Amino acid sequence: MLKLIVANWKMNPATPREARELYLKTKQAALKQRSARVIICPPAIFIGCLNHKTSSRLSLGVQDISVHRNTGAFTGAISAAQASYSEAEYAIIGHSERRAAGDEEKIINTKVKLALAAKLNVILCVGEKSRDGEGGYLQELHEQLTSALAGVPNNFYKKLVIAYEPVWAVGKGASGADTPAEFLHHKLFIQKVLSKTVGAAAAKAVPVLYGGSVDHKNAESFLNEGQAGGLLVGRASLRADHFKQIIYAAR
Ligand code: PGA
């Protein structure tokens, strides 16, 4: 299976020109890498500036969608259908920064269903805020998965990607990345939870990505030792030279 290397640019870069430059450098690396599909998630306002042509190696995604299905008076929001009419093929949903801004489980569940109904692939982010020694946080992970996917028909699981991102490992203030061995443990836990709904084979086919302080030095160990289905990369995706090395790590 192709490794999915996702670039979450968040609210970066500052200008469309910089976005185009970063896109072109990332594209060059992506087209050289046969073992990966690279998915760039820029600020939605930049999607139209990139002159993107869909290919099997490089796709675009949005970082979030609205909880509302139809067009209407929802200032600042972008619907799943609008995203899918742009070149976006993927939608990140439930990112910890969106959860911190008020996306509760019910909202995330609605967004997952709207994105799938609009034919977008969903990258669902889950991850605990902190890790207690007794494994109690696994209940939090279980709850995030089951509530986000409640009522999602089984045949949609082939459009689903899970990104396991422990919140303490995400972003500037992070205490550092998880370990590949711990990731593998959590990947198996996630697939076990999914298998209760869709069966073992379908659950195993859902790619489970690692995210949280991925860089050009640790990427390979998460992909190999950690057996990650791919990586969700924030800060390091803004450095074309570093992100290139992360893409090449999928070899
Ligand atoms: P980071 O962000 O790589 O900067 O830790 C990851 C994410 O937010 O998805």
Side-chain angles (χ1 to χ4, degrees):
M1 231 198 296
L2 290 181
K3 300 285 186 188
L4 301 178
I5 309 293
V6 185
N8 178 10
W9 287 0
K10 308 190 182 182
M11 204 170 79
N12 298 289
T15 66
R17 189 186 162 152
E18 288 169 277
R20 267 195 300 273
E21 269 171 29
L22 185 56
Y23 169 82
L24 286 175
K25 286 183 184 156
T26 305
K27 179 180 172 180
Q28 264 177 8
L31 296 184
K32 280 193 202 136
Q33 171 55 290
R34 284 163 192 254
S35 330
R37 177 196 282 266
V38 176
I39 302 156
I40 302 177
C41 302
I45 190 90
F46 289 156
I47 284 185
C49 317
L50 299 177
N51 288 325
H52 174 74
K53 301 264 174 324
T54 294
S55 87
S56 57
R57 304 273 172 70
L58 185 65
S59 302
L60 295 183
V62 288
Q63 300 170 10
D64 189 29
I65 53 159
S66 168
V67 72
H68 300 286
R69 179 187 299 271
N70 296 321
T71 51
F74 306 113
T75 302
I78 297 167
S79 73
Q82 288 168 333
S84 105
Y85 279 120
S86 75
E87 281 93 10
E89 294 174 69
Y90 288 79
I92 298 175
I93 294 176
H95 189 278
S96 55
E97 285 153 17
R98 298 300 328 159
R99 289 179 192 260
D103 275 16
E104 293 161 354
E105 304 299 349
K106 211 171 161 346
I107 294 176
I108 291 168
N109 178 240
T110 304
K111 290 184 175 184
V112 166
K113 289 181 186 158
L114 289 175
L116 291 169
K119 300 198 165 62
L120 293 165
N121 298 284
V122 166
I123 302 169
L124 172 66
C125 299
V126 295
E128 75 281 1
K129 286 202 195 73
S130 61
R131 203 174 272 178
D132 58 287
E134 289 83 52
Y137 68 93
L138 291 174
Q139 191 51 38
E140 186 183 346
L141 210 53
H142 185 277
E143 169 63 19
Q144 286 178 348
L145 287 163
T146 48
S147 59
L149 297 171
V152 171
N154 287 6
N155 60 334
F156 278 127
Y157 275 63
K158 48 183 186 302
K159 296 193 71 88
L160 179 68
V161 177
I162 306 286
Y164 171 62
E165 296 205 301
V167 180
W168 49 266
V170 170
K172 245 191 188 147
S175 51
D178 202 357
T179 64
E182 281 291 320
F183 167 74
L184 179 55
H185 174 71
H186 292 98
K187 170 185 150 164
L188 297 173
F189 175 80
I190 288 166
Q191 288 181 330
K192 196 166 147 200
V193 174
L194 300 185
S195 74
K196 295 205 178 99
T197 312
V198 288
K204 240 183 134 182
V206 174
V208 182
L209 319 186
Y210 172 73
S213 298
V214 172
D215 60 27
H216 59 298
K217 295 191 196 115
N218 63 20
E220 192 171 344
S221 61
F222 280 105
L223 293 169
N224 294 336
E225 218 182 300
Q227 299 173 34
L231 302 165
L232 175 47
V233 189
R235 283 159 293 163
S237 70
L238 300 170
R239 289 275 311 261
D241 51 342
H242 287 186
F243 195 58
K244 185 167 138 185
Q245 291 183 55
I246 294 172
I247 293 172
Y248 289 163
R251 244 187 279 258

